[in-house]
Amino acid sequence: MWMLLGCLSITYGQTVTITDDVTEEPVEMVILMSNAPKAYATTNAKGQANIDGFENSEAIEIYAYGYKRKTISYSEISQNGFKVGLNQTNINLDEIVIAASRWKQSSGKVPSKLADITPKDIAFQNPQTAADLLSISGKVFVQKSQQGGGSPMIRGFSSNRLLYTVDGVRMNSAIFRGGNLQNVINMDPFTVENTEVLFGPGSVIYGSDAIGGVMSFQTLTPQLSLDDEPFIFGKAVARYSSVNQEQTGHFDVGFGWKKWAFVTSFSSWDYDHLRQGSNGPDDYLKPYYVQRIDSTDRVITQDDPLLQVPSAYTQKNLLQKVRFQPNHNWDFQYGFHFSETSAYGRYDRHNRIQNGTARYAEWNYGPQKWLMNNLSVSHYLSNVLYDQLTVRLAQQTFAEGRFDRSVNSDIRSIREEEVQAYSVNADMVKSLGLNNTIYYGVEYIQNDVTSTGVDENISTGTSVEGPSRYPKATWRSIAIYLNDEHQLSNKTTLQAGIRYNQFLLDAEFDTRFYPFPFQEASINDGALTGSVGAVFRPNESLIFRINAGSAFRSPNVDDIGKVFDSEPGAVVIPNPNLDAEYAYNIDLGVAKVLSDRIKLDITGYYTRLNNALVRRDFQLNGQDSIMYDGELSQVQAIQNAAKADVYGIQLGLNLKLFNGFRFTTDYNFQHGEEELDDGTVSNSRHAAPWFGLSRFTYEYEKLTLQLYAQYQGERKHENLATEEQSKDEIYAKDENGNTYAPAWYTINLKGQYLLNDYLSLSAGLENITDQRYRPYSSGISGSGRNFILSLSAKF
């Protein structure tokens, strides 16, 4: 590689500077795009971008959040002295997205529903975790089993039916489970440049798991200098929250020269036990915790019954990126990510009762670790195969664990897993004339899973080998895809795509602890998915979208091989005889801007899931029950045993009022039904009740204030999923003593003031009325009244 870099010539052309037409201040994060020649660029903090690759372009499209889209030729930019001014706009239908195709493109050409969370949103809202970051969109519901976690729910799907990507690299591993996941907290919100959510199937571009949606995180990009002076940028943040005594610190710094650029980031979080609100169901109170004193577990009554003990945890994240751009044809970027949490209690398990007292003395996740090395090589030069090529090589390490011990038991069960994930992606884009662009690529993924089990006697300090959670296994995926974008006219864009995916799994089972009737399992199968959609834009203020697509999820190691207690009195065992599940979806959407002040966006969708991988009663060697963890438990296994239907509506309203006032609201309704063994139907577990977010914002010069409400509808006992109805530790009780999920709301106030060009002060008061609430399906209550104070320095 270094030999190749040494042979590359170094040439630089013109730099364009983009400013606000009124203030004449530079505008950062502006996207410039051209179809002929195929090129794009992004402005830095000085509003500068290198436009070598745009020479002779007749139509350079310029996009920036809060500004009107502008189309201009290279010659016009040259005549203007390589300076471009942008006009602010109240509301815009156009944004730049990458989640739909892995390449930057206008959202006005994408038939799928998309949501974008900008760095400005993140800085103002101050989300504590990446899960909280997703929830500020108002379009993603987040479930939590403990403070150190967050499992997004999108359109009635969750966990391993959603896909996560970081800098274009797939984050889903072979042990992503059907239950709630906590892996999204590996991401550092401070390093996120942009977050996009693609709603509905994304398997054509991303492969397995992209059924309900794709969450794409783009992290800090090293910025090159476009003049003779080094370009230095960075920020530092200190934050405190009262509800969990949060102490958070972050800094990042970047250095850029003409060819080389670097960025380094470090963040540290320290959260004490989370305090819930004082006004709400008493069923959510657990005013005790278990502490071991003189070799005996004792149940201790808390001084403050609103504290949720144990829920405290800490986390640290490190990011390092290096960029080398010898000329406008080549771009090399290397990224290193590392995240590590402390052990943290799974709060819902600590709520379980047995024989009139606490069931567990210990039940912890973690430490949870994630490491990624990512090398991206991009080439921009029109030839017979492509106009742009990006090759991504990535290696990831996922390390997870769980530790549990029953009250007054000396045996601590320790189960630890490690996944080594390797991926190679080659993505290409090619213009076939002025009106047709194809996106295509190939992908190889391999996950190697190692799992260990140890039973430790905490009294004697001795340990013996115990059963592992997973078999030793390798999961692989090999794929090729093609997506075509055709500009039928100035008003109509068509898109169609197809993907073929071969997936393979090999597993070796340890039969020393459980008498499985098999010692190995093997899967070698393929999946064909596709999509077709259209965007019709009769004028600049109206847009219609329709999209139909299919998606799949291949069985992974968690599906075929895990052993765990899914609920009291039940144990899930391996089942090697599984096939892929398939989803078929249709979306219809319309967005309208009225008088440059009102934007209404509504999307309806329907998804059918066939051959669904679900947990059902099973048998082991002819027995429907076995002894597990000292308890006779019903045998269950993941099986292709159901079909499911989900439909819903996503509604958004953006109203720009006068004198700096703005009102926005998002409302989401989803309903899912799943087939049971006896032919009856149950509501889907991951289809949340209706939920929404409404904001009233005021902006004046350096001050921003926002009053907002977040809310969720009720889910009655009879409308809970059948498997959820018996979970006393999660839900409240109605007047008949049955479990249900109450409706809730929070009222919140936040503000931000720019002290000068470098410093900003943010403060907030969340859950002003101190509501005691628990988001649907969550095992821990949301924050009570919370005061937030944050100081940020940017240079």
Side-chain angles (χ1 to χ4, degrees), residues 18-48:
I18 298 181
T19 59
D20 185 296
D21 259 346
V22 177
T23 66
E24 297 185 352
E25 292 292 321
V27 183
E28 187 180 4
M29 300 296 290
V30 179
I31 303 293
L32 298 90
M33 297 181 62
S34 167
N35 279 327
K38 205 74 176 176
Y40 69 81
T42 306
T43 61
N44 60 21
K46 298 179 180 179
Q48 298 175 332

Side-chain angles (χ1 to χ4, degrees), residues 391-418:
V391 177
R392 294 182 181 89
L393 309 175
Q395 177 273 331
Q396 298 180 80
T397 300
F398 301 88
E400 303 173 6
R402 54 188 64 205
F403 312 85
D404 67 83
R405 184 176 62 83
S406 298
V407 166
N408 290 321
S409 170
D410 290 336
I411 304 302
R412 176 187 291 136
S413 297
I414 302 172
R415 305 293 180 260
E416 295 180 309
E417 294 82 47
E418 183 177 283

Side-chain angles (χ1 to χ4, degrees), residues 133 181 219 347 390 427 436 441 510 651:
L133 182 156
L181 290 169
T219 62
Y347 188 74
T390 294
D427 300 299
N436 204 71
D510 187 344
L651 176 66

Side-chain angles (χ1 to χ4, degrees), residues 43-325:
T43 61
N44 60 21
K46 298 179 180 179
Q48 298 175 332
N50 186 293
I51 55 172
D52 286 358
F54 294 82
E55 191 170 2
N56 299 322
S57 174
E58 294 297 322
I60 300 174
E61 296 184 9
I62 302 176
Y63 300 85
Y65 184 77
Y67 291 88
K68 290 183 179 179
R69 175 171 59 97
K70 190 166 190 172
T71 302
I72 190 172
S73 68
Y74 185 90
S75 60
E76 288 177 291
I77 293 177
S78 177
Q79 291 169 11
N80 294 334
F82 292 93
K83 295 182 179 180
V84 176
L86 296 182
N87 295 318
Q88 292 188 16
T89 183
N90 294 322
I91 295 173
N92 202 335
L93 285 176
D94 293 301
E95 296 171 351
I96 289 296
V97 297
I98 60 173
S101 66
R102 291 185 184 269
W103 296 96
K104 286 185 172 69
Q105 62 181 142
S106 168
S107 62
K109 297 180 180 180
V110 178
S112 299
K113 168 75 174 176
L114 293 143
D116 181 64
I117 305 172
T118 68
K120 183 179 178 181
D121 297 330
I122 298 170
F124 181 78
Q125 293 296 335
N126 269 308
Q128 290 192 341
T129 68
D132 298 330
L133 182 156
L134 290 167
S135 71
I136 68 175
S137 69
K139 301 174 179 68
V140 178
F141 190 88
V142 175
Q143 178 275 352
K144 291 188 178 183
S145 296
Q146 62 278 325
Q147 184 175 203
S151 188
M153 295 182 180
I154 298 176
R155 289 190 172 185
F157 296 100
S158 182
S159 308
N160 56 17
R161 291 179 179 138
L162 302 175
L163 190 84
Y164 305 79
T165 72
V166 179
D167 294 339
V169 177
R170 174 191 179 96
M171 198 177 184
N172 292 40
S173 77
I175 61 172
F176 266 37
R177 55 187 179 272
N180 299 306
L181 290 169
Q182 321 308 324
N183 299 73
V184 71
I185 69 167
N186 289 332
M187 282 300 306
D188 179 354
F190 291 111
T191 65
V192 175
E193 274 188 347
N194 200 56
T195 302
E196 295 169 16
V197 182
L198 183 149
F199 296 91
S203 282
V204 168
I205 303 298
Y206 294 100
S208 179
D209 303 2
I211 290 178
V214 176
M215 291 157 284
S216 175
F217 298 93
Q218 179 65 41
T219 62
L220 292 171
T221 301
Q223 298 293 320
L224 297 163
S225 174
L226 299 178
D227 52 35
D228 293 331
E229 297 295 324
F231 181 57
I232 303 173
F233 62 95
K235 68 175 179 287
V237 180
R239 186 174 65 213
Y240 168 81
S241 297
S242 63
V243 76
N244 52 8
Q245 303 299 306
E246 175 197 9
Q247 299 177 58
T248 290
H250 163 83
F251 79 86
D252 62 71
V253 61
F255 300 89
W257 293 268
K258 287 190 174 181
K259 294 184 294 180
W260 290 91
F262 305 84
V263 63
T264 301
S265 169
F266 177 78
S267 300
S268 174
W269 298 265
D270 190 332
Y271 303 111
D272 205 341
H273 304 300
L274 181 66
R275 183 187 182 278
Q276 58 186 320
S278 57
N279 303 307
D282 289 341
D283 303 292
Y284 295 156
L285 296 177
K286 181 183 73 71
Y288 64 86
Y289 61 93
V290 178
Q291 183 175 346
R292 195 163 181 85
I293 302 173
D294 296 331
S295 301
T296 301
D297 292 323
R298 301 185 186 277
V299 177
I300 307 297
T301 300
Q302 296 174 191
D303 294 331
D304 183 355
L306 299 180
L307 280 182
Q308 299 177 94
V309 182
S311 59
Y313 81 104
T314 63
Q315 181 172 336
K316 290 179 173 57
N317 276 53
L318 174 68
L319 176 145
Q320 176 66 55
K321 286 191 175 182
V322 181
R323 183 180 184 183
F324 176 64
Q325 191 180 73

